[in-house]
Amino acid sequence: MRFDEFAMDLDRLEATSSRLELVRILSELYQAVTPDEIGPITYLVQGRLAPFFEPVEIGLAEKLLLTAIAIAFGADKDEVGRAYKEIGDLGLTAEREARRAGGRSRKAPPVLDVHRRLLEVAAATGQGSQLKKLELFSGLLAELDPISAKHFVRITSGKMRLGIGDPTVLDALSTARAGDKSLRPLLEGAYNRTSDLGLIATTLWSDGEPGVEALKVTVGRPIRPQLAERLPDPDAVIRKMGMVGVQPKYDGFRVQIHKDGDEVELFSRNLENMTGMFPELVAAGGRVKARSIILDGEAIAYSPESDEYLPFQETMGRRRKHGIEQHALRAPLRAFVFDVMYRDGKDLTTLPYEERLAIVEQVIGGSDTLLSAPLTKTDSAEVLRQELLENISKGLEGVVAKRVDTPYQAGARNFNWVKLKRNTSGQLNDTIDVVLIGYYRGKGKRVEFGAGALLAGVYDSDRDEFASITRIGTGLSDAAWRELYERVRALEVDHRPARVNSILTPDVWLEPGVVAEVLADEITPSPRHTAGMAEAEPGLALRFPRIVSFRDADKRPEDATTVKEVQEMFQQQRARGAGGSR
Ligand code: ATP
């Protein structure tokens, strides 16, 4: 397939406002490609060159991209800069310059060729690499027609706006292969084990369904993390789960530690490679007593001076790309390891939890940096309540109760793990992570910041869609509004994105990208919002929402709270009595 043919499909994907159409167009694209092409194309439609967990970056900042556009189409650099300022979109700027230069003279290169050459751009490092990147990149851009140039630049600048989520790719692969969505569970299972859509696509095309089934947990590829459900109180937990193992819920960030011989890699909750950021965890991972291992845990910053764990914001401050050594000394991380999924060539995910935790203790014993999470077994609501209160009084978030006889279920959120937090009177007892899907222009004083109120949604994981749940008007300082506006500007689109489901129409639509943690008083039925809306049933809305933090550092839009979770929280709120005070 040539890149210009691929770009035509990207244009069709961009133009649609329907998720079903996205799946259809993408599956048609898949039907037209060879097994060699399907992997790279799967990465490219999501604006990447490699799976999310591989730190492959083109490494051309905005300024250099503008220079490359000028070189490729023989335009004046300042002129291109001015055009970009006016248009506000690098892709459209490239398209315009390509048109002014008279379009394309030669035949566009094959997609595979473009992908390979982009990998070369990404691989150029060290002295003189910027020049080399620029040369390779502008050479490639010069070979493209206007529409190809637009998509090519968007892919490479990380500003792809097609909004194709992982479930949409899985549905499209299934549709292309089987004519319907029947292969989705098989593909999703493989995705939970490998986190690599390109690998799954290639395997399906070359080895069929048995090949996909045979894709195993592997060191070096993050496993999609198991997640926890919510229940309102200790009585409900024991009623639902019976005997549980209770652990503190540490308030840091999730880390998966992969060791293969001398090599250690770290992955985040959203599958990002974090190896370079935490030298102390890498060193500790290297000392684990196993040839190869995959561990799961929660990392939290610690102050050597006061001998105390630091608050969440300070722990998150360690997720940085610069000044790593210095910060590692000031606030070193410790990781509470609560699971093991693989050891010395063996997949351990099917072992009961208690056995896995015993292996954790065995392999990390003696480490100061990796500590095993303690476990208290109980079937008494009273004991569970004591554990919860004790952990809260120590400044922790709460507890996680786990069924001790269950396997590790990659990517699942079910009642094998349940989180229990403090119940605050008059409020929901948990925050909700929403995704910004639009904004309303400000009135009065807010006009100068561009945004007056935000429209936010939650994620419907079955439909790979963002359904509206609330309008947020307060909770941010003027400075925070201004900063937020700068961030959302890059996500503006001129029509409702295909994956957004909303009856309300904001002044400006946003491609889902910014995740905000929101506290609200309660969940109420609402005919205006689409979250959980079914035939003849209203949707659900948040009352008095206020933003408490932004979570995009560790959550992708698809990691936001799901419609199903909100429905469950609504049921639990009802059971407690409206208002939720206890
Ligand atoms: P939150 O916003 O509450 O962290 P989340 O969406 O990140 O929620 P949940 O499934 O709601 O994830 O809660 C599980 C999270 O709690 C895990 O992802 C992990 O980061 C954290 N955690 C802390 N301590 C533990 C523990 N002992 N066992 C499992 N998870 C733990």
Side-chain angles (χ1 to χ4, degrees), residues 299-378:
I300 182 161
Y302 168 82
S303 160
E305 278 150 37
S306 64
D307 192 25
E308 278 176 349
Y309 291 101
L310 298 174
F312 180 70
Q313 288 311 330
E314 296 202 36
T315 297
M316 289 309 273
R318 282 293 317 274
R319 291 186 61 146
R320 45 176 35 250
K321 294 202 169 129
H322 304 286
I324 287 165
E325 295 295 331
Q326 179 196 345
H327 280 82
L329 283 178
R330 199 178 56 80
L333 290 183
R334 288 182 168 176
F336 286 93
V337 180
F338 49 72
D339 227 310
V340 59
M341 294 84 106
Y342 180 94
R343 178 174 65 163
D344 296 337
K346 245 176 116 176
D347 180 347
L348 304 183
T349 55
T350 52
L351 289 184
Y353 183 52
E354 241 178 329
E355 287 182 36
R356 299 200 307 276
L357 196 61
I359 297 175
V360 168
E361 284 162 17
Q362 206 182 314
V363 295
I364 66 174
S367 171
D368 287 337
T369 304
L370 303 182
L371 310 163
S372 62
L375 188 84
T376 306
K377 262 172 80 172
T378 184

Side-chain angles (χ1 to χ4, degrees), residues 227-228 247-250 254 269 298 338 397 400 402 413 417 419 421 433 551 555:
L227 298 170
Q247 290 181 331
K249 186 172 192 300
Y250 303 101
R254 190 92 177 242
R269 179 194 193 286
E298 185 87 351
F338 49 72
E397 255 193 308
V400 184
K402 299 176 179 175
R413 189 190 291 276
W417 288 16
K419 57 181 168 177
K421 296 186 186 177
D433 295 321
R551 294 294 301 264
K555 291 197 174 175

Side-chain angles (χ1 to χ4, degrees), residues 258-292:
H258 288 228
K259 172 188 178 181
D260 190 7
D262 295 334
E263 201 169 322
V264 175
E265 284 187 290
L266 308 174
F267 299 101
S268 70
R269 179 194 193 286
N270 65 2
L271 314 174
E272 205 179 333
N273 194 310
M274 308 190 288
T275 310
M277 292 183 193
F278 312 115
E280 67 274 44
L281 293 185
V282 171
R287 291 191 293 268
V288 169
K289 297 176 208 117
R291 246 183 314 107
S292 59

